[in-house]
Coordinates of all heavy atoms in Angstrom, one line a residue:
M19 N -38.0 1.6 -99.5 CA -37.0 0.7 -100.0 C -37.3 0.2 -101.3 O -38.5 -0.2 -101.6 CB -36.8 -0.4 -98.9 CG -35.7 -1.4 -99.4 SD -35.7 -2.8 -98.3 CE -34.1 -2.8 -97.7
V20 N -36.4 0.2 -102.2 CA -36.6 -0.3 -103.6 C -35.9 -1.7 -103.7 O -34.7 -1.8 -103.4 CB -36.1 0.6 -104.6 CG1 -36.3 0.1 -106.0 CG2 -36.7 2.0 -104.5
F21 N -36.7 -2.7 -104.0 CA -36.1 -4.0 -104.2 C -35.5 -4.1 -105.6 O -36.0 -3.7 -106.6 CB -37.2 -5.1 -104.1 CG -37.7 -5.2 -102.7 CD1 -39.0 -4.7 -102.4 CD2 -37.0 -5.9 -101.8 CE1 -39.4 -4.8 -101.1 CE2 -37.5 -6.0 -100.5 CZ -38.7 -5.4 -100.1
N22 N -34.3 -4.7 -105.6 CA -33.5 -4.9 -106.9 C -34.0 -6.2 -107.5 O -33.6 -7.3 -107.1 CB -32.0 -4.9 -106.5 CG -31.2 -5.0 -107.8 OD1 -31.8 -5.0 -108.9 ND2 -29.9 -4.9 -107.6
M23 N -34.8 -6.0 -108.6 CA -35.3 -7.2 -109.3 C -34.3 -7.9 -110.2 O -34.5 -9.0 -110.7 CB -36.5 -6.8 -110.2 CG -37.7 -6.2 -109.3 SD -38.3 -7.3 -108.1 CE -39.3 -8.4 -109.1
M24 N -33.2 -7.3 -110.4 CA -32.1 -7.8 -111.2 C -31.3 -8.9 -110.5 O -30.7 -9.7 -111.1 CB -31.2 -6.8 -111.7 CG -31.8 -5.7 -112.6 SD -32.5 -6.5 -114.1 CE -31.0 -7.1 -114.9
K25 N -31.4 -9.0 -109.3 CA -30.6 -9.9 -108.5 C -30.8 -11.4 -108.9 O -29.9 -12.1 -109.0 CB -30.8 -9.7 -107.0 CG -29.7 -8.8 -106.4 CD -29.5 -9.0 -104.9 CE -28.2 -8.4 -104.5 NZ -28.1 -8.3 -103.0
K26 N -32.1 -11.8 -109.0 CA -32.4 -13.2 -109.3 C -31.9 -13.5 -110.7 O -31.4 -14.6 -110.9 CB -33.9 -13.4 -109.3 CG -34.3 -13.9 -107.9 CD -35.8 -14.3 -108.0 CE -36.2 -14.9 -106.6 NZ -37.7 -15.1 -106.5
A27 N -32.0 -12.6 -111.6 CA -31.6 -12.9 -113.0 C -30.0 -13.1 -113.0 O -29.6 -13.9 -113.8 CB -31.9 -11.7 -113.9
D28 N -29.3 -12.4 -112.2 CA -27.9 -12.5 -112.2 C -27.5 -14.0 -111.7 O -26.6 -14.6 -112.3 CB -27.2 -11.6 -111.2 CG -27.2 -10.2 -111.8 OD1 -27.4 -10.1 -113.0 OD2 -27.0 -9.2 -111.0
V29 N -28.2 -14.4 -110.7 CA -27.9 -15.8 -110.2 C -28.2 -16.9 -111.3 O -27.5 -17.8 -111.4 CB -28.7 -16.1 -108.9 CG1 -28.5 -17.5 -108.4 CG2 -28.2 -15.1 -107.8
K30 N -29.3 -16.6 -112.0 CA -29.8 -17.6 -113.0 C -28.9 -17.7 -114.2 O -29.0 -18.7 -115.0 CB -31.2 -17.2 -113.5 CG -32.3 -18.1 -112.9 CD -33.6 -17.8 -113.6 CE -34.6 -18.9 -113.5 NZ -35.8 -18.6 -114.1
K31 N -28.0 -16.8 -114.4 CA -27.1 -16.7 -115.6 C -26.3 -18.1 -115.8 O -26.3 -18.5 -116.9 CB -26.2 -15.5 -115.5 CG -26.0 -14.9 -116.8 CD -25.4 -13.5 -116.8 CE -24.5 -13.2 -115.6 NZ -24.0 -11.8 -115.7
S32 N -25.7 -18.5 -114.8 CA -25.0 -19.8 -114.9 C -25.8 -21.0 -114.5 O -26.6 -20.9 -113.5 CB -23.7 -19.7 -114.0 OG -24.1 -19.5 -112.7
V33 N -25.7 -22.0 -115.3 CA -26.5 -23.2 -115.0 C -25.9 -24.0 -113.9 O -24.7 -24.2 -113.8 CB -26.5 -24.1 -116.3 CG1 -27.3 -25.4 -116.0 CG2 -27.1 -23.4 -117.5
M34 N -26.7 -24.4 -112.9 CA -26.3 -25.2 -111.8 C -27.0 -26.5 -111.8 O -28.2 -26.5 -111.7 CB -26.4 -24.4 -110.5 CG -25.7 -25.1 -109.4 SD -26.0 -24.3 -107.7 CE -24.8 -23.1 -107.8
Y35 N -26.2 -27.6 -111.8 CA -26.9 -28.9 -111.7 C -26.9 -29.3 -110.2 O -26.0 -28.9 -109.4 CB -26.0 -29.9 -112.5 CG -25.9 -29.6 -113.9 CD1 -24.8 -28.9 -114.4 CD2 -26.9 -30.0 -114.8 CE1 -24.8 -28.6 -115.8 CE2 -26.8 -29.7 -116.2 CZ -25.8 -29.0 -116.7 OH -25.7 -28.8 -118.0
T36 N -27.9 -30.0 -109.9 CA -28.0 -30.5 -108.5 C -28.0 -32.0 -108.5 O -28.7 -32.7 -109.2 CB -29.3 -30.0 -107.8 OG1 -29.3 -28.6 -107.9 CG2 -29.4 -30.4 -106.4
I37 N -27.1 -32.6 -107.6 CA -27.0 -34.0 -107.5 C -27.4 -34.3 -106.0 O -27.0 -33.8 -105.1 CB -25.5 -34.5 -107.6 CG1 -25.0 -34.1 -109.0 CG2 -25.4 -36.0 -107.4 CD1 -25.4 -35.0 -110.1
D38 N -28.4 -35.2 -106.0 CA -28.9 -35.7 -104.6 C -28.2 -36.9 -104.2 O -28.3 -38.0 -104.9 CB -30.4 -35.9 -104.7 CG -31.0 -36.1 -103.3 OD1 -30.2 -36.5 -102.4 OD2 -32.2 -36.0 -103.2
L39 N -27.3 -36.8 -103.2 CA -26.5 -38.0 -102.9 C -27.3 -39.2 -102.3 O -26.8 -40.3 -102.3 CB -25.5 -37.6 -101.8 CG -24.3 -36.6 -102.3 CD1 -23.5 -36.2 -101.2 CD2 -23.5 -37.3 -103.4
T40 N -28.5 -38.9 -101.8 CA -29.3 -40.0 -101.3 C -29.8 -40.9 -102.5 O -30.3 -42.0 -102.2 CB -30.6 -39.5 -100.5 OG1 -31.4 -38.7 -101.4 CG2 -30.1 -38.6 -99.4
K41 N -29.7 -40.4 -103.7 CA -30.2 -41.2 -104.8 C -29.0 -41.8 -105.6 O -29.2 -42.3 -106.7 CB -31.0 -40.3 -105.8 CG -32.3 -39.9 -105.2 CD -33.0 -38.8 -106.0 CE -34.3 -38.4 -105.3 NZ -34.8 -37.1 -105.7
I42 N -27.8 -41.8 -105.1 CA -26.7 -42.4 -105.7 C -26.2 -43.6 -104.9 O -26.2 -43.6 -103.7 CB -25.5 -41.3 -105.7 CG1 -25.9 -40.1 -106.5 CG2 -24.2 -42.0 -106.2 CD1 -24.8 -39.0 -106.5
D43 N -26.0 -44.7 -105.7 CA -25.5 -45.9 -105.1 C -24.0 -45.9 -105.0 O -23.3 -45.2 -105.7 CB -26.0 -47.1 -105.9 CG -27.5 -47.3 -105.8 OD1 -28.0 -47.0 -104.7 OD2 -28.1 -47.7 -106.8
G44 N -23.5 -46.7 -104.1 CA -22.1 -46.8 -104.0 C -21.3 -45.8 -103.1 O -21.9 -45.4 -102.1
D45 N -20.1 -45.4 -103.6 CA -19.3 -44.6 -102.7 C -19.5 -43.1 -102.9 O -18.6 -42.3 -102.4 CB -17.8 -45.0 -102.9 CG -17.4 -44.8 -104.4 OD1 -18.2 -44.3 -105.1 OD2 -16.2 -45.0 -104.7
G46 N -20.5 -42.7 -103.6 CA -20.7 -41.3 -103.7 C -20.2 -40.7 -105.0 O -20.3 -39.5 -105.2
A47 N -19.6 -41.5 -105.9 CA -19.1 -41.0 -107.1 C -20.2 -40.9 -108.1 O -21.2 -41.6 -108.0 CB -18.1 -42.0 -107.7
F48 N -20.1 -39.8 -109.0 CA -21.1 -39.6 -110.0 C -20.5 -39.0 -111.2 O -19.4 -38.6 -111.1 CB -22.2 -38.7 -109.4 CG -21.7 -37.4 -109.0 CD1 -21.8 -36.3 -109.9 CD2 -21.2 -37.2 -107.7 CE1 -21.3 -35.0 -109.5 CE2 -20.7 -35.9 -107.3 CZ -20.7 -34.9 -108.2
T49 N -21.2 -38.9 -112.3 CA -20.7 -38.3 -113.4 C -21.3 -36.9 -113.6 O -22.4 -36.7 -113.3 CB -21.0 -39.2 -114.7 OG1 -22.4 -39.4 -114.8 CG2 -20.2 -40.5 -114.7
C50 N -20.5 -36.0 -114.2 CA -21.0 -34.7 -114.5 C -22.2 -34.7 -115.4 O -22.1 -35.4 -116.4 CB -19.8 -33.9 -115.2 SG -20.3 -32.3 -115.8
P51 N -23.3 -34.0 -115.0 CA -24.5 -34.1 -115.8 C -24.3 -33.6 -117.2 O -25.1 -33.9 -118.1 CB -25.5 -33.2 -115.0 CG -24.9 -33.1 -113.7 CD -23.4 -33.2 -113.8
K52 N -23.3 -32.8 -117.4 CA -23.1 -32.2 -118.8 C -22.1 -33.0 -119.6 O -22.4 -33.3 -120.8 CB -22.7 -30.8 -118.6 CG -22.7 -30.0 -120.0 CD -22.4 -28.5 -119.8 CE -22.6 -27.8 -121.1 NZ -22.1 -26.4 -121.0
C53 N -20.9 -33.3 -119.1 CA -19.9 -33.8 -119.9 C -19.6 -35.3 -119.6 O -18.8 -35.9 -120.3 CB -18.6 -33.0 -119.9 SG -17.7 -33.0 -118.4
G54 N -20.1 -35.8 -118.5 CA -19.9 -37.2 -118.1 C -18.6 -37.5 -117.4 O -18.2 -38.7 -117.3
T55 N -17.9 -36.5 -117.0 CA -16.6 -36.7 -116.3 C -16.9 -37.4 -114.9 O -17.9 -36.9 -114.3 CB -15.9 -35.4 -116.1 OG1 -15.4 -34.9 -117.3 CG2 -14.7 -35.5 -115.2
L56 N -16.2 -38.4 -114.6 CA -16.4 -39.0 -113.3 C -15.9 -38.1 -112.2 O -14.8 -37.7 -112.2 CB -15.7 -40.4 -113.3 CG -15.9 -41.1 -112.0 CD1 -17.4 -41.6 -111.9 CD2 -14.9 -42.3 -111.9
I57 N -16.8 -37.8 -111.3 CA -16.4 -37.0 -110.1 C -16.6 -37.9 -108.9 O -17.7 -38.4 -108.5 CB -17.3 -35.8 -110.0 CG1 -17.0 -34.9 -111.2 CG2 -17.1 -35.0 -108.7 CD1 -17.9 -33.7 -111.4
S58 N -15.4 -38.1 -108.2 CA -15.4 -39.1 -107.1 C -14.9 -38.4 -105.9 O -13.9 -37.6 -105.9 CB -14.5 -40.3 -107.4 OG -14.1 -40.9 -106.3
P59 N -15.5 -38.6 -104.8 CA -15.0 -38.0 -103.5 C -13.7 -38.5 -103.1 O -12.9 -37.9 -102.3 CB -16.1 -38.4 -102.5 CG -16.8 -39.6 -103.1 CD -16.7 -39.4 -104.6
D60 N -13.2 -39.6 -103.7 CA -11.9 -40.2 -103.3 C -10.8 -39.5 -104.2 O -9.6 -39.8 -104.0 CB -11.9 -41.7 -103.5 CG -12.9 -42.3 -102.6 OD1 -13.0 -41.8 -101.4 OD2 -13.4 -43.3 -102.9
D61 N -11.2 -38.8 -105.2 CA -10.3 -38.2 -106.1 C -9.7 -36.9 -105.5 O -10.4 -35.9 -105.3 CB -11.0 -37.8 -107.5 CG -10.0 -37.3 -108.5 OD1 -8.8 -37.2 -108.2 OD2 -10.5 -36.9 -109.6
E62 N -8.4 -37.0 -105.2 CA -7.8 -35.9 -104.5 C -6.8 -35.1 -105.4 O -6.0 -34.3 -104.9 CB -7.1 -36.3 -103.2 CG -8.1 -36.8 -102.2 CD -7.4 -37.5 -101.0 OE1 -6.1 -37.5 -101.0 OE2 -8.1 -38.0 -100.2
T63 N -6.9 -35.3 -106.7 CA -6.0 -34.7 -107.6 C -6.4 -33.3 -108.1 O -5.6 -32.6 -108.6 CB -5.8 -35.6 -108.8 OG1 -7.0 -35.7 -109.5 CG2 -5.2 -37.0 -108.4
D64 N -7.7 -33.0 -107.8 CA -8.2 -31.7 -108.3 C -8.2 -31.7 -109.9 O -8.3 -30.6 -110.5 CB -7.4 -30.5 -107.8 CG -7.8 -30.2 -106.3 OD1 -8.7 -30.9 -105.9 OD2 -7.1 -29.4 -105.8
E65 N -8.1 -32.8 -110.5 CA -8.0 -32.8 -111.9 C -9.3 -32.7 -112.6 O -9.5 -32.0 -113.6 CB -7.3 -34.1 -112.4 CG -6.5 -34.0 -113.6 CD -5.7 -35.2 -113.9 OE1 -4.5 -35.3 -113.3 OE2 -6.1 -36.1 -114.7
N66 N -10.3 -33.4 -112.1 CA -11.6 -33.4 -112.7 C -12.6 -32.4 -112.1 O -13.5 -31.9 -112.8 CB -12.3 -34.8 -112.4 CG -11.6 -35.9 -113.3 OD1 -10.8 -35.6 -114.1 ND2 -11.9 -37.1 -113.0
Y67 N -12.4 -32.0 -110.9 CA -13.3 -31.0 -110.3 C -12.6 -30.2 -109.2 O -11.5 -30.6 -108.7 CB -14.5 -31.7 -109.7 CG -14.2 -32.5 -108.5 CD1 -14.3 -31.9 -107.2 CD2 -13.8 -33.8 -108.6 CE1 -14.1 -32.7 -106.1 CE2 -13.5 -34.6 -107.5 CZ -13.7 -34.0 -106.2 OH -13.4 -34.8 -105.1
Q68 N -13.2 -29.1 -108.8 CA -12.7 -28.4 -107.7 C -13.9 -28.0 -106.8 O -14.9 -27.7 -107.3 CB -11.8 -27.2 -108.1 CG -12.5 -26.2 -109.1 CD -11.6 -25.2 -109.5 OE1 -11.2 -24.2 -108.8 NE2 -11.1 -25.3 -110.7
I69 N -13.6 -27.8 -105.6 CA -14.7 -27.4 -104.6 C -14.8 -25.9 -104.6 O -13.8 -25.2 -104.4 CB -14.4 -28.0 -103.2 CG1 -14.5 -29.5 -103.2 CG2 -15.3 -27.4 -102.2 CD1 -14.0 -30.2 -102.0
V70 N -16.0 -25.4 -104.8 CA -16.2 -24.0 -104.9 C -16.7 -23.5 -103.5 O -16.2 -22.5 -103.0 CB -17.3 -23.6 -105.9 CG1 -17.5 -22.1 -105.9 CG2 -16.8 -24.1 -107.3
E71 N -17.6 -24.2 -102.9 CA -18.1 -23.8 -101.6 C -18.7 -24.9 -100.8 O -19.2 -25.9 -101.4 CB -19.3 -22.8 -101.9 CG -19.7 -21.9 -100.8 CD -20.9 -21.0 -101.1 OE1 -21.1 -20.8 -102.3 OE2 -21.5 -20.5 -100.2
T72 N -18.5 -24.8 -99.5 CA -19.1 -25.8 -98.7 C -20.1 -25.1 -97.7 O -19.8 -24.0 -97.2 CB -18.1 -26.6 -97.9 OG1 -17.3 -25.7 -97.1 CG2 -17.2 -27.5 -98.7
K73 N -21.2 -25.7 -97.5 CA -22.2 -25.1 -96.5 C -22.4 -26.1 -95.4 O -22.7 -27.3 -95.6 CB -23.5 -24.8 -97.2 CG -23.4 -23.6 -98.1 CD -24.8 -23.2 -98.7 CE -24.6 -22.1 -99.7 NZ -25.8 -21.9 -100.5
V74 N -22.2 -25.6 -94.2 CA -22.3 -26.5 -93.0 C -23.5 -26.1 -92.2 O -23.7 -24.9 -92.0 CB -21.0 -26.4 -92.2 CG1 -21.1 -27.2 -90.9 CG2 -19.8 -26.9 -92.9
K75 N -24.2 -27.1 -91.7 CA -25.4 -26.8 -90.9 C -25.3 -27.7 -89.7 O -25.2 -29.0 -89.9 CB -26.7 -27.1 -91.7 CG -28.0 -26.6 -91.1 CD -29.1 -26.9 -92.0 CE -30.4 -26.5 -91.4 NZ -31.6 -27.0 -92.1
D76 N -25.4 -27.2 -88.5 CA -25.4 -27.9 -87.3 C -24.1 -28.8 -87.3 O -24.2 -30.0 -86.9 CB -26.6 -28.8 -87.1 CG -27.9 -27.9 -87.0 OD1 -27.7 -26.7 -86.5 OD2 -28.9 -28.4 -87.4
D77 N -23.0 -28.2 -87.6 CA -21.7 -29.0 -87.6 C -21.6 -30.1 -88.6 O -20.7 -30.9 -88.5 CB -21.4 -29.5 -86.2 CG -21.0 -28.3 -85.3 OD1 -20.5 -27.3 -85.8 OD2 -21.3 -28.4 -84.1
E78 N -22.6 -30.2 -89.5 CA -22.6 -31.3 -90.5 C -22.6 -30.7 -91.9 O -23.2 -29.6 -92.1 CB -23.7 -32.2 -90.3 CG -23.5 -33.2 -89.2 CD -24.6 -34.3 -89.2 OE1 -24.5 -35.2 -90.0 OE2 -25.5 -34.2 -88.4
L79 N -21.9 -31.3 -92.8 CA -21.9 -30.9 -94.2 C -23.3 -30.9 -94.8 O -23.9 -32.0 -94.8 CB -20.9 -31.7 -95.0 CG -20.6 -31.2 -96.4 CD1 -19.9 -29.9 -96.3 CD2 -19.7 -32.2 -97.0
A80 N -23.8 -29.8 -95.2 CA -25.2 -29.8 -95.7 C -25.2 -29.7 -97.3 O -26.0 -30.3 -98.0 CB -26.0 -28.6 -95.2
E81 N -24.3 -28.9 -97.8 CA -24.2 -28.7 -99.2 C -22.8 -28.5 -99.7 O -21.9 -27.9 -99.0 CB -25.0 -27.4 -99.6 CG -26.3 -27.6 -100.1 CD -27.0 -26.2 -100.4 OE1 -26.4 -25.4 -101.1 OE2 -28.2 -26.1 -100.0
L82 N -22.5 -29.0 -100.9 CA -21.2 -28.8 -101.5 C -21.3 -28.4 -102.9 O -22.1 -29.0 -103.6 CB -20.4 -30.2 -101.4 CG -19.0 -30.2 -101.6 CD1 -18.2 -29.4 -100.6 CD2 -18.5 -31.7 -101.6
I83 N -20.6 -27.3 -103.2 CA -20.7 -26.9 -104.6 C -19.4 -27.0 -105.3 O -18.3 -26.6 -104.8 CB -21.1 -25.3 -104.6 CG1 -22.5 -25.2 -104.0 CG2 -21.1 -24.8 -106.0 CD1 -23.0 -23.8 -103.8
L84 N -19.4 -27.8 -106.4 CA -18.2 -28.1 -107.1 C -18.3 -27.5 -108.5 O -19.3 -27.1 -109.0 CB -18.2 -29.7 -107.3 CG -18.3 -30.6 -106.2 CD1 -18.4 -32.0 -106.6 CD2 -17.2 -30.5 -105.2
M85 N -17.1 -27.4 -109.1 CA -17.1 -27.0 -110.5 C -16.3 -28.1 -111.3 O -15.2 -28.5 -110.9 CB -16.4 -25.7 -110.6 CG -16.5 -25.2 -112.1 SD -15.8 -23.5 -112.3 CE -14.1 -23.9 -112.1
C86 N -17.0 -28.6 -112.3 CA -16.3 -29.5 -113.2 C -15.2 -28.8 -114.0 O -15.4 -27.8 -114.6 CB -17.3 -30.1 -114.2 SG -16.6 -31.2 -115.5
N87 N -14.0 -29.4 -113.9 CA -12.9 -28.8 -114.5 C -12.9 -28.9 -116.1 O -12.2 -28.2 -116.8 CB -11.6 -29.3 -114.0 CG -11.2 -28.6 -112.7 OD1 -11.7 -27.6 -112.3 ND2 -10.3 -29.2 -112.0
K88 N -13.7 -29.9 -116.5 CA -13.7 -30.1 -118.0 C -14.6 -29.1 -118.7 O -14.3 -28.5 -119.7 CB -14.1 -31.5 -118.3 CG -12.9 -32.3 -118.9 CD -13.3 -33.7 -119.3 CE -12.1 -34.4 -119.8 NZ -12.3 -35.8 -119.8
C89 N -15.9 -29.0 -118.2 CA -16.8 -28.2 -118.9 C -17.3 -26.9 -118.1 O -18.1 -26.1 -118.6 CB -18.1 -29.0 -119.2 SG -19.0 -29.5 -117.8
R90 N -16.7 -26.8 -116.9 CA -16.9 -25.6 -116.1 C -18.3 -25.5 -115.5 O -18.7 -24.4 -115.2 CB -16.5 -24.3 -116.8 CG -15.2 -24.3 -117.6 CD -14.0 -24.7 -116.8 NE -13.4 -23.6 -116.1 CZ -12.3 -23.7 -115.4 NH1 -11.7 -24.8 -115.2 NH2 -11.8 -22.7 -114.8
S91 N -19.0 -26.6 -115.6 CA -20.4 -26.6 -115.0 C -20.3 -26.5 -113.5 O -19.4 -27.1 -112.8 CB -21.1 -27.9 -115.3 OG -21.4 -27.9 -116.7
T92 N -21.3 -25.8 -112.9 CA -21.4 -25.8 -111.5 C -22.3 -26.9 -111.0 O -23.4 -27.0 -111.5 CB -21.9 -24.4 -111.0 OG1 -21.1 -23.4 -111.6 CG2 -21.7 -24.3 -109.5
I93 N -21.9 -27.7 -110.0 CA -22.7 -28.8 -109.6 C -22.9 -28.7 -108.1 O -21.9 -28.6 -107.3 CB -22.0 -30.2 -109.9 CG1 -21.7 -30.3 -111.4 CG2 -22.8 -31.3 -109.4 CD1 -20.7 -31.3 -111.8
K94 N -24.2 -28.7 -107.7 CA -24.4 -28.6 -106.3 C -24.8 -30.0 -105.7 O -25.7 -30.7 -106.3 CB -25.6 -27.7 -106.0 CG -26.0 -27.4 -104.6 CD -26.9 -26.3 -104.4 CE -28.3 -26.7 -104.5 NZ -29.2 -25.6 -104.1
L95 N -24.1 -30.4 -104.7 CA -24.4 -31.7 -104.0 C -25.2 -31.5 -102.8 O -24.9 -30.7 -101.9 CB -23.1 -32.4 -103.6 CG -22.2 -32.8 -104.7 CD1 -21.0 -33.6 -104.1 CD2 -22.8 -33.7 -105.7
V96 N -26.4 -32.2 -102.7 CA -27.2 -32.1 -101.5 C -27.4 -33.5 -101.0 O -27.1 -34.5 -101.7 CB -28.6 -31.4 -101.8 CG1 -28.4 -30.0 -102.2 CG2 -29.3 -32.2 -102.9
G97 N -28.0 -33.7 -99.9 CA -28.4 -35.0 -99.4 C -27.3 -35.6 -98.4 O -27.3 -36.8 -98.2
F98 N -26.4 -34.8 -97.9 CA -25.5 -35.2 -97.0 C -26.1 -35.6 -95.6 O -25.7 -36.5 -95.0 CB -24.4 -34.2 -96.7 CG -23.5 -33.9 -97.9 CD1 -23.7 -32.8 -98.7 CD2 -22.4 -34.8 -98.1 CE1 -22.9 -32.6 -99.8 CE2 -21.6 -34.5 -99.2 CZ -21.8 -33.4 -100.0
L99 N -27.0 -34.8 -95.2 CA -27.7 -35.0 -94.0 C -28.7 -36.1 -94.0 O -29.6 -36.0 -94.9 CB -28.3 -33.7 -93.5 CG -27.4 -32.5 -93.3 CD1 -28.2 -31.2 -93.0 CD2 -26.4 -32.7 -92.2
S100 N -28.6 -37.1 -93.2 CA -29.5 -38.1 -93.2 C -30.8 -37.6 -92.4 O -30.7 -37.0 -91.4 CB -29.0 -39.4 -92.5 OG -28.3 -39.0 -91.3
Q101 N -31.9 -38.0 -93.0 CA -33.2 -37.6 -92.4 C -33.4 -38.3 -91.1 O -33.1 -39.6 -91.0 CB -34.3 -37.9 -93.3 CG -34.2 -37.1 -94.6 CD -34.4 -35.6 -94.4 OE1 -35.2 -35.2 -93.6 NE2 -33.6 -34.9 -95.2
P102 N -33.8 -37.7 -90.0 CA -34.1 -38.3 -88.7 C -35.2 -39.3 -88.9 O -36.2 -39.0 -89.5 CB -34.4 -37.2 -87.8 CG -34.9 -36.1 -88.7 CD -34.1 -36.2 -90.0
I103 N -35.0 -40.5 -88.3 CA -36.0 -41.6 -88.4 C -36.7 -41.6 -87.1 O -36.1 -41.8 -86.0 CB -35.3 -42.9 -88.7 CG1 -34.6 -42.9 -90.1 CG2 -36.4 -44.1 -88.7 CD1 -33.6 -44.0 -90.3
E104 N -38.0 -41.5 -87.1 CA -38.8 -41.5 -85.9 C -39.8 -42.7 -85.8 O -40.2 -43.1 -86.9 CB -39.5 -40.2 -85.8 CG -38.6 -39.1 -85.5 CD -39.4 -37.7 -85.3 OE1 -40.5 -37.7 -84.8 OE2 -38.8 -36.7 -85.8
Ligands
ZN16 ZN1 -18.4 -31.5 -116.8

């Protein structure tokens, strides 16, 4: 079997920003790391961003990938799952 070394390079081509929701105060709104557009979970107009992909783990939202409609940056949201406290 020959491993395709090009695969990783393809993924790296587009910049993806990661936002950790556990480090955001308030209602989960944040600004685009590139252009500063406010991205709010309460915004249902699709004007500022659109949802590209959602990843669910154990019936809970684990990851959300958005695209900023202004600068076309891809933004990955993590931190939906609360860490178990023991
Ligand atoms: Zn942006």
Side-chain angles (χ1 to χ4, degrees):
M19 182 186 239
V20 179
F21 291 102
N22 184 358
M23 300 302 282
M24 292 303 291
K25 265 203 164 167
K26 264 188 179 169
D28 286 344
V29 174
K30 253 190 159 179
K31 215 163 30 178
S32 58
V33 178
M34 187 184 280
Y35 298 96
T36 302
I37 301 278
D38 189 341
L39 289 176
T40 62
K41 290 171 182 158
I42 297 174
D43 291 327
D45 59 0
F48 60 93
T49 53
C50 171
K52 192 175 183 186
C53 71
T55 294
L56 182 69
I57 294 175
S58 163
D60 297 328
D61 184 0
E62 289 169 7
T63 61
D64 287 351
E65 211 170 277
N66 290 348
Y67 69 94
Q68 55 186 286
I69 293 171
V70 177
E71 196 183 342
T72 54
K73 284 181 190 171
V74 175
K75 194 180 172 188
D76 297 331
D77 290 330
E78 282 191 76
L79 190 61
E81 258 181 49
L82 192 63
I83 297 174
L84 307 173
M85 187 174 73
C86 173
N87 276 346
K88 246 186 188 161
C89 67
R90 317 304 273 181
S91 290
T92 309
I93 303 164
K94 183 166 85 170
L95 294 185
V96 297
F98 290 99
L99 298 173
S100 46
Q101 298 295 321
I103 300 163
E104 288 179 38

